[in-house]
Amino acid sequence: MNLHCRVNEKEYDLEIKPHMTLLDLLREELGLTGAKEGCGEGECGACTVIMDGKAVNACIVLAAEAEGKEILTIEGLAREGTLHPIQEAFVEIGGLQCGFCTPGMVLSTKVLLDDNPNPTEEEIKKGLEGNFCRCTGYTKIIESVKVAADKVRG
Amino acid sequence: MKTFYRRLPKFEYLRPGSMEEALALISGKEGSVKLLAGGTDLIPQVKKREVPVPAFVLDMKSIPGLGNITHHHNGLSIGALATIQAVGADPVINERFAPLSQAALQMASPQVRNRGTIAGNICNAVPSADSAPALLALGAEVKLESRRGARRVPLDQFFTGPRTTVIKEDELLTEIIVPAQEPGSRGVYLKLSPRHSMDLAVVGVAVMGTMENGICKEVKIALGAVAPTPIRAPMAEALLRGNRPTPELIDEAARNALTQCNPIDDHRASREYRCDMVYAMTRRALTRIFGGTR
Amino acid sequence: MEEYSVIGKRVPRIDAKEKVMGEAKYAADYSLPGMLWAKVARSPYAHAKILNIDTSKAEKLPGVKAVITGKDFNGWTWGFMATTRDESPLAVDKVRYMYEGVAAVAAVDEETAEEACSLIKVDYEELPGVFDPEEAIKEGAPVIHAYRANNVSVEYHWDFGDVDKAFADSYIVREDRFETGKVVTGFLEPPASLAYYDPSGNITVWAAKQSPYFHYRHLAGCFGLPLSKIRIIQPFIGGGFGGTKNDSVAGDFCVVMLSKKTGRPVKYVYTMEEVLTTCRRRHNMIIYNKMGMTKDGILTAIESRVIGNGGGYTAIGPLTMFLTGYATTLPYKLPNYRYDAWRVFTNNPVSAAMRGHGFTHTRFACDIQMHMIAEELGIDPVEMRIRNAIDNPKPADGYSTINGIKFKTCGLMETIKAATEDPLWADRDKMVKQEGPVSYGVGITGTTYQGGARQLGHQSCGAIVRICEDGTINLITGATDCGQGSDTVLAMIAAEVLGAKYEDISFKRVDTAYTPVDPGSYGSRVTVFAGQAVERASRDAKRQLLEAAGKAWNVKPEEIDIREGFAFLKDKPEKRMSFEKLAKIASYEGAGAVILGTGYSSYGVEELDFSTGTGNGGTSFSFTTQTTRLGVDMETGKIDVTDFTIAHDAGVPLHPVSVEGQNEGGAVQGLSQAIYEGFIMENGRTHNSTFLDYKMPRSTDAPRIKVIDIITDDPDGPFGAKEASEGSHVSAPPSVVDALHDATGIWFKELPVTPEKIVKALKDAGKWMK
């Protein structure tokens, strides 16, 4: 079947299988492997992408459901190699270890800060509750989000 | 042989442009169509072959008008496609139908709340569905439509067992209708789970109640994860109704609620623990609403 | 301590930019033209004979290119020791745990491979299974491996001092049964492997391995090829924590065999449920612990009888049982010690290594038991720790335990001081004790873990420092960063020694065809061993640079130093040139030179003796004191862990960001084993095999964590480094359980302590909902 959508500000007209997930589409058809498959059932958040401004688990969204949608993946966040302030904050604070959760964590942070530019620690934790991290114990991720909020507010 | 599937099985994807078209599509294909709203339950279930592989997946999101949350003088209407997040974030729901918004915001994660729907949570019909006790305590009904016509079913007659409901194969749940609550009524949904978020309820308790002159005028108690379906506790309600909700009476009502339960013993909790928690959490919820007035 | 230019600074991780941009490629992110997808078909029985396998239907499915079974591996088996090689890539005659791999398929796409698996027909004869290790060692229990008719896979009996006399002379002796949980590492990246066995006889693999050289040896053995023909290319690794990614699992062998059969590249990606039911997990251990003390709370003797639930195969079990016993003589002075251990085969998934390997079980038992005795004797638990703690020895003297563990630095006493002076402990009586139904408690624990672990076989690390003519540097090692930050630390060491800028170091990940052979990432060994290799390789390169600079300036090389990107005369620092210029001079001098520095590690060349329990498992030991504050809802049992303070002696924290991150992450993983995680098993079946039900902590479950560095500057570590993360991982469970006791008045001896267990214990004690 046919699919028309925008990914990282680029228009796509694609022929897809109806039983393909959005994650399969991004990773295997478009070569955007930044979104990871951890659990494949919407529990871990490693596949988080932003669809029409909202964080979603790409592993449980059908590619077909992206019809007419605007999708932002981690590859679309930095501009010509210049990191987004959220990415800068994660680098500076060390809010990452193995990096597998990082793309999803960064995108969840983006949606969190888009909706609430000055979150409390509790709001940060709640905003990231859908993203597993096994390495950091979350401490440095939460700190990264605080620093990111400062940077984004300017 | 056991296979751990990573991929979805092959199916056809249907995208009807109208309710008529949708009803026509499902009426001819009994048993072979799965309805897709948010997909947060359906897609993992199909991927893991927990449900029979459907020949067709019908995406309801192309049907216009199903995503609305409408407030009117006699209550609230939640369209089948209204997301958990939209319901959780609605300020009027938060003010007047508090158990529902509390349940919504305690469900899963932002990613799931952005896609999943309250209607889907109800239709999936697991005993632990968070929105079910909230909606039961609010006295909600659902509207089911088919080519044969439309019908309304009170939610306490909707669930027939774990993962089963009264929905016929040619029907669509199009709307959840919540009646206006009594002026001055207060409500709460308490969820108990081991983790602080992204977890299933071991026990969920919703209470909606009204006090007048220190007397419990009206109360509804609903429980999740403690019986084959989400349930009301009518005998416990009756104990309270028309009486002064003293700590002793609240304790008695909470113990009574326990007698209404028939929880399973599984890897998530023992039957004994779930029963104990029905008592503890019901007492806590009732105290929250009625304040244990002497 | 010397003032360093790079060491000890909070530089950004060397891999941070790639990771935040989503550009870091993991094994599943790689694809090759013509690639096939593999899938493993698995047994639905926990213990059964395989009578017949019919693959004909699967082979006929359009898109299927090959189907293999256990027989294709010609009887090859692997395992930790020559005498314990009892596992084959796919089961041959018998399956020994539920969902063990039986056959595998390669097809043009993954969904076809999956469909083909469901068409494979296997005739089984189901056998009675045994799942509880204490049942499995009883006479008449079903036999799992013919070569171990009593189901005992590994057995040790060690005895030091005079334990019986010590107990007889003790004022108090306690005996308790402890049990640690059935838990898993919980990395987020499912194992994946992409392999190409080219028809000329070379194997190239991209695989999620934290110790790729183990896999390299396994593949050479399995396919009968020389090591030089095995090329493992190291992608980024999405978390390791030991076990699965330190070993090879069914899919890893099947992709290579299927590639050999088809002549095409083959890829396999595990599902998370497959990981949680078929991959390696930590041993669940039953510990009968007996501890004696004097009236003053001085330790007299410990006897530990440990039964490890081994699962269907031996894997690394001999080392696990060694580590579980040998370090009980730390971190408190212990004059008499006896250890009897049995690792037992059961029809469960295979138990293996995990972060805090071995130590975590006995430290939990000993720490809690020590507090139980403190309570009985009426001695303050901190005072008891101080009375028994090993002091920091003079490095020249060192310290030796009764079983011969030797080390040169011990900051235990300082960690106790720091942790107990921290407000979390010092002000505990001023903090809220009760708030509605929530009772608060504070706990304290002390532990040790080894840095620079060694086991059997090859132990050394190597490094190559290649100076590019523009002054930038390629750092080549065989070490793997699976998230812990070792690439960053190794680059910092190179920059520090060379006097180069950290930003000019480019770290090259493992490619077994080009990088030095290396044991891998386990036992907190990378910084110590690979770090020493990098230090030496950097000195070697620096020597060559200084010689070139000496020639250029017509002075002796000793008169010159290099720091922060400049070479300069020590006596006249204004005489200087940039590292870039120096590199150019060195490279183009005369007919031209190639500046390559090489080095390898030599710490810890010592043998372990598994049969006597002697020898050094590590080159150095970290010491930790951890305090925990938590609240327990006394009606529901729900626990909210609010704070950790971790005073940790990591020697010298080379990269403080990583040391903190390791301690924080290790502690939360430990917390989780204390209260959240545990497989629920029934007849070999794992009931909670998804992330929904296997409850790893979320952001909302994480406590505030304060890490206090205790500096001891160990001579057996590069720049004084020891270990971080395994200590805090081992200290967290007893610390949480001690805090639970403070909050509830109840000692919990089985992990995890779930809300349900708490309510049951409160009910039994008559303390619930009164």
Side-chain angles (χ1 to χ4, degrees), chain A:
Chain A
M1 61 179 287
N2 189 261
L3 172 72
H4 180 259
C5 62
R6 275 166 65 85
V7 180
N8 299 336
E9 301 187 348
K10 205 167 143 191
E11 301 277 340
Y12 286 93
D13 229 332
L14 300 157
E15 192 55 34
I16 59 160
K17 294 179 197 165
H19 59 285
M20 171 182 263
T21 64
L22 177 59
L23 186 61
D24 295 339
L25 174 76
L26 294 171
R27 289 179 54 85
E28 286 164 18
E29 303 297 316
L30 308 186
L32 298 170
T33 56
K36 308 298 179 197
E37 179 164 324
C39 68
E41 51 183 351
E43 289 291 328
C44 77
C47 65
T48 302
V49 299
I50 300 177
M51 185 154 90
D52 281 358
K54 294 192 166 73
V56 302
N57 291 314
C59 73
I60 55 168
V61 174
L62 293 179
E65 294 181 88
E67 177 63 34
K69 304 280 187 191
E70 172 88 47
I71 289 154
L72 178 71
T73 74
I74 192 67
E75 289 90 345
L77 196 58
R79 297 288 162 147
E80 287 158 11
T82 303
L83 297 183
H84 185 280
I86 296 171
Q87 293 169 312
E88 282 178 9
F90 274 75
V91 171
E92 281 171 27
I93 301 302
L96 58 105
Q97 288 184 24
C98 84
F100 200 75
C101 76
T102 308
M105 207 58 93
V106 167
L107 291 176
S108 279
T109 302
K110 178 163 194 309
V111 177
L112 168 70
L113 297 183
D114 285 348
D115 292 347
N116 178 3
N118 194 11
T120 63
E121 185 160 320
E122 286 313 303
E123 286 166 342
I124 292 171
K125 288 183 171 187
K126 183 85 184 140
L128 301 179
E129 69 192 0
N131 294 78
F132 256 135
C133 170
R134 187 58 155 179
C135 299
T136 64
Y138 301 100
T139 314
K140 294 221 182 310
I141 291 177
I142 293 164
E143 200 184 330
S144 300
V145 177
K146 287 182 191 165
V147 171
D150 291 343
K151 283 177 185 271
V152 170
R153 286 197 312 273

Side-chain angles (χ1 to χ4, degrees), chain C residues 118-413:
Chain C
S118 65
L119 299 174
I120 294 170
K121 196 174 166 296
V122 183
D123 298 326
Y124 296 99
E125 179 193 328
E126 199 181 352
L127 299 169
V130 62
F131 309 99
D132 176 334
E134 293 189 290
E135 292 298 318
I137 43 176
K138 285 184 183 160
E139 196 76 27
V143 175
I144 296 172
H145 286 274
Y147 86 104
R148 293 276 194 264
N150 58 358
N151 287 331
V152 175
S153 123
V154 176
E155 190 170 349
Y156 300 138
H157 304 282
W158 308 334
D159 210 338
F160 302 97
D162 191 340
V163 173
D164 294 325
K165 182 175 183 303
F167 280 138
D169 294 347
S170 294
Y171 177 76
I172 185 168
V173 176
R174 257 200 89 97
E175 285 188 72
D176 295 277
R177 180 190 189 275
F178 296 89
E179 187 169 350
T180 56
K182 302 176 175 79
V183 296
V184 75
T185 54
F187 47 69
L188 210 52
E189 178 213 13
S193 190
L194 167 60
Y196 183 48
Y197 192 128
D198 81 47
S200 74
N202 293 282
I203 295 175
T204 306
V205 174
W206 290 258
K209 295 288 154 210
Q210 68 185 83
S211 300
Y213 287 91
F214 285 152
H215 193 44
Y216 145 100
R217 293 191 180 101
H218 293 160
L219 291 182
C222 183
F223 291 91
L225 290 177
L227 290 167
S228 55
K229 300 258 184 197
I230 312 290
R231 183 174 176 200
I232 316 270
I233 300 175
Q234 178 88 90
F236 280 92
I237 307 299
F241 316 111
T244 300
K245 289 186 185 175
N246 250 339
D247 205 336
S248 303
V249 283
D252 296 322
F253 295 106
C254 290
V255 282
V256 181
M257 185 58 84
L258 288 164
S259 180
K260 184 180 181 186
K261 292 232 162 188
T262 59
R264 290 166 68 169
V266 181
K267 175 163 155 177
Y268 194 91
V269 182
Y270 273 68
T271 75
M272 194 48 80
E273 195 171 0
E274 197 172 16
V275 172
L276 295 178
T277 51
T278 74
C279 289
R280 308 304 199 212
R281 40 180 75 184
R282 166 167 273 164
H283 288 73
N284 142 239
M285 293 208 192
I286 298 159
I287 304 144
Y288 293 97
N289 219 55
K290 189 170 172 185
M291 183 180 278
M293 282 203 188
T294 67
K295 195 175 182 180
D296 299 328
I298 306 294
L299 268 172
T300 54
I302 293 176
E303 178 187 271
S304 296
R305 283 188 301 121
V306 179
I307 297 159
N309 189 345
Y313 297 94
T314 300
I316 201 169
L319 181 63
T320 307
M321 300 316 287
F322 174 83
L323 294 175
T324 300
Y326 102 108
T328 300
T329 52
L330 291 173
Y332 302 107
K333 292 170 219 158
L334 182 67
N336 303 287
Y337 174 52
R338 183 184 291 145
Y339 177 63
D340 295 294
W342 299 265
R343 183 186 186 276
V344 181
F345 286 126
T346 55
N347 293 114
N348 293 309
V350 183
S351 300
M354 182 179 166
R355 184 186 244 177
H357 195 186
F359 288 48
T360 192
H361 308 280
T362 31
R363 265 311 349 129
F364 165 63
C366 290
D367 241 70
I368 295 303
Q369 203 170 35
M370 212 167 148
H371 271 205
M372 294 168 112
I373 295 178
E375 193 181 34
E376 281 189 54
L377 293 177
I379 297 175
D380 176 78
V382 174
E383 179 56 33
M384 180 182 272
R385 283 170 195 283
I386 291 170
R387 287 179 195 170
N388 287 288
I390 293 169
D391 293 309
N392 193 9
K394 288 197 184 82
D397 304 342
Y399 184 87
S400 183
T401 67
I402 190 166
N403 59 331
I405 300 176
K406 295 180 190 69
F407 52 84
K408 292 172 184 157
T409 60
C410 170
L412 179 63
M413 208 63 106

Side-chain angles (χ1 to χ4, degrees), chain C residues 1 392 411 414 648-653 708-714 720:
Chain C
M1 252 167 34
N392 193 9
E414 288 85 347
H648 180 76
D649 160 23
V652 172
I708 303 171
D709 292 320
I710 304 298
I711 313 284
T712 52
D713 202 4
D714 199 279

Side-chain angles (χ1 to χ4, degrees), chain B residues 1-7 48 193 195-199 267-268 270 272-273 276-277 284, chain C residues 39 42 110 114 271 273 277 633 635-636 638-639 690 693 695-696 698 700-701 756 763:
Chain B
M1 294 303 277
K2 170 71 182 180
T3 307
F4 290 94
Y5 292 94
R6 272 183 87 234
R7 302 288 177 155
K48 295 171 85 172
S193 56
R195 284 185 297 203
H196 294 78
S197 62
M198 195 76 192
D199 214 343
H267 60 275
R268 291 179 182 140
S270 70
E272 184 187 350
Y273 180 64
D276 289 342
M277 291 305 105
R284 191 175 289 188
Chain C
K39 197 77 194 174
R42 296 179 176 277
E110 196 172 21
E114 289 176 345
T271 75
E273 195 171 0
T277 51
D633 186 321
E635 293 178 0
T636 63
K638 184 158 175 165
I639 306 160
T690 65
D693 282 322
K695 297 193 188 296
M696 308 199 314
R698 299 276 175 180
T700 46
D701 304 313
E756 179 166 346
K763 279 172 86 174

Side-chain angles (χ1 to χ4, degrees), chain B residues 8-9 32 41 53 58 108 146 155 163 184 189 217 219 222-223 261:
Chain B
L8 284 164
S32 61
D41 285 320
V53 172
L58 183 144
S146 71
L155 197 63
R163 294 180 184 262
Y189 175 69
K217 187 180 169 201
V219 63
L223 305 167
C261 301

